[in-house]
């Protein structure tokens, strides 16, 4: 099995910054996609940012220019640096990874437990 353990999150004032990290551990042969989703109060879980094994990235429009996703493949860890935070960024942030557990190309999707980010004065 594979576990995703998130850290970071918390309470920050509007305009502030916060960093999240997520480390994958367990039976891992390789990781294709890693990234972050979020679920605000009363909302569905939506994409925030993804990074792929070719180092390309994808962001939801609302965070472009403010959030930066990065990845350390040697540590199976993904990071999300969040700047210029807004109250509407308040949500539970979930780590996501698509993992190859053997040499076979089949990918398995995993989620972290979620970490709360609250942007409020």
């Amino acid at each position: 099995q594979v576990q995703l353990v998130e850290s970071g999150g918390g309470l920050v004032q509007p305009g502030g910054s916060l960093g999240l990290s997520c480390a994958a551990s367990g039976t891992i042969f390789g990781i294709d996609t890693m990234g972050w989703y979020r679920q605000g109060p009363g909302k569905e879980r939506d994409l925030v940012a993804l990074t792929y094994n070719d180092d390309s990235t994808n962001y939801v429009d609302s965070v472009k220019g403010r959030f930066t996703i990065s990845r350390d493949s040697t540590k199976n860890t993904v990071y999300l640096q969040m700047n210029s935070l807004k109250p509407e960024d308040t949500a539970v942030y979930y780590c996501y990874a698509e993992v190859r557990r053997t040499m076979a190309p089949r990918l398995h999707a995993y989620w972290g437990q979620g970490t709360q980010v609250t942007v409020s004065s």
Side-chain angles (χ1 to χ4, degrees), residues 96-113:
Y96 172 80
E98 294 178 354
V99 177
R100 282 183 290 124
R101 289 158 54 183
T102 69
M103 291 182 63
R106 180 183 176 186
L107 294 172
H108 302 262
Y110 294 93
W111 294 92
Q113 78 282 1

Side-chain angles (χ1 to χ4, degrees), residues 2 10 14 20 56 72 80 86 101 108 115:
V2 174
L20 305 179
S56 62
D72 185 341
L80 185 68
K86 304 175 181 180
R101 289 158 54 183
H108 302 262
T115 185

Side-chain angles (χ1 to χ4, degrees), residues 39-74:
Q39 186 167 14
K43 298 181 180 180
E44 296 184 349
R45 189 177 300 187
D46 292 323
L47 169 70
V48 177
L50 294 174
T51 177
Y52 305 95
N53 58 7
D54 63 357
D55 292 331
S56 62
T57 58
N58 182 33
Y59 295 90
V60 66
D61 286 346
S62 61
V63 308
K64 287 180 180 178
R66 300 188 298 122
F67 290 12
T68 303
I69 190 170
S70 61
R71 178 173 174 175
D72 185 341
S73 297
T74 65

